[in-house]
Amino acid sequence: MRAGSRLALVAVGAVAAATVLAGCGNAGSSGTKAPAGAASGAGCAPVAGNRLVVLDDDKKLQNSDNVVPAVNAKAAKPELIAALDKVSAALDTPKLIALNKAVDVDRKTPKVTAEEFAASAKLTDGISRGTGGKIIVGAANFSENQTLGELYRVALTAAGYEVTVQQIGNRELYEPALEKGEIQVVPEYAATLADFLNPKVNGASAPAISAPEIDKTMSGLKTVGDKVGITFGKASAAQDQNSFAVTKEFADKYALRTLSDLASKCSGSATVLAGPPECPQRPMCQAGLVRVYNFNAGSFSSLDAGGPQSKSALRTGAASVALVLSSDGELATG
């Protein structure tokens, strides 16, 4: 798995909890009891295949982790925000998948990938050149965020700024630096940042402010951001959040498009769910599938969090469904 992923597996939305970072930048939580209920019925045996597809989260188990520019309030000039908003307008999840494929699968650098995308999307067209100044764009320590940081560099350079992209590590390191103005811009993820800032601003027991709807998440995020000196551009349509994938062959065999389809057709003994060891207890993983969808797998395979083990289990027919990231570059292959 790539460092710093948002396979948060946290209690947000209907189940409130504070997000904390752990391991290689992942978020975590105290978890819940193991999901109640037992699998009944035959279920859906795994079907090997190369291409992975994400099942639609039609009942909104996950919260809205849309990519959004976070900006130190003192640096948030209108021309800077306008340039960053151009990046947001150019992105959606399929394009984010393609960017990640270019870096993680095709082995291009984030800088080259961003510049090629910016050229093809005519990203800098219409950006007004202002008075400029020096800007440091902070990037988390995983390739997707670095590519987004390079896209911000391209747009801000067109707006007249002298831009440096600096890899800073995980959110515990770069968020305080953003507050202090040591860095001025960071590509962020709406729900995850909202749940990071909320307990910091409102206390550990504060109700969650993230939601499946991006407008609600951004409303809460802007409120807590104002209190720590961080403002935001427009949220993009691109999301990097927990998702559940199957092989295309599995989806075709059982006529599945949504997680509701999976629950209605595949709850049962033959179905194998794969994910990280904590998945059975986490409200955004197996426990959430039980609570929101009444999906009961026949067995659980303890592997990794959306990494090569889980994806290999799908492709080789060892797992029916597995936790992945919605923007994983491998979703574009096969």
Side-chain angles (χ1 to χ4, degrees), residues 5 32 51 57 67 70 73 84-85 88-89 103 105 114 118 148 161 180 195 205 214 217 228 270 274 278 293 303 326:
S5 73
T32 63
R51 185 177 179 188
D57 180 16
V67 175
L84 296 173
D85 285 349
S88 292
V103 177
V105 179
L148 291 168
Y161 290 94
K180 295 173 185 176
D195 291 316
S205 61
I214 186 59
T217 296
V228 295
E278 64 271 22
Y293 288 97
L303 298 174
S326 62

Side-chain angles (χ1 to χ4, degrees), residues 8 38 41 59 65 91 113 157 168 182 210 219-220 234 237 253 259 275 287 292 297 301:
K59 291 186 179 179
D65 243 352
L91 289 174
T113 297
T157 299
I168 296 185
E182 296 170 352
S210 61
S219 177
K234 292 180 181 178
K253 179 176 179 178
L259 288 175
V292 174
S301 180

Side-chain angles (χ1 to χ4, degrees), residues 26-58:
N26 294 339
S29 79
S30 58
T32 63
K33 294 181 179 179
S40 59
C44 298
V47 180
N50 189 47
R51 185 177 179 188
L52 305 182
V53 295
V54 167
L55 297 176
D56 181 47
D57 180 16
D58 54 308

Side-chain angles (χ1 to χ4, degrees), residues 45-52 245-250 272 274 301 303 307-322 330:
V47 180
N50 189 47
R51 185 177 179 188
L52 305 182
V246 299
T247 63
K248 185 177 186 300
E249 290 79 1
F250 182 91
V272 181
S301 180
L303 298 174
Q309 293 177 1
S310 294
K311 288 179 283 190
S312 177
L314 289 172
R315 291 190 171 109
T316 60
S320 307
V321 56
E330 292 189 50

Side-chain angles (χ1 to χ4, degrees), residues 36 59 73 79 129 131-133 154 161 189 204 216 231 242 256 266 286-287 315 317 326:
K59 291 186 179 179
E79 59 267 28
R129 194 170 183 86
T131 55
V154 171
Y161 290 94
Y189 303 87
K216 292 181 180 179
T231 191
N242 296 350
L256 307 179
C266 293
Q286 187 174 12
R315 291 190 171 109
S326 62

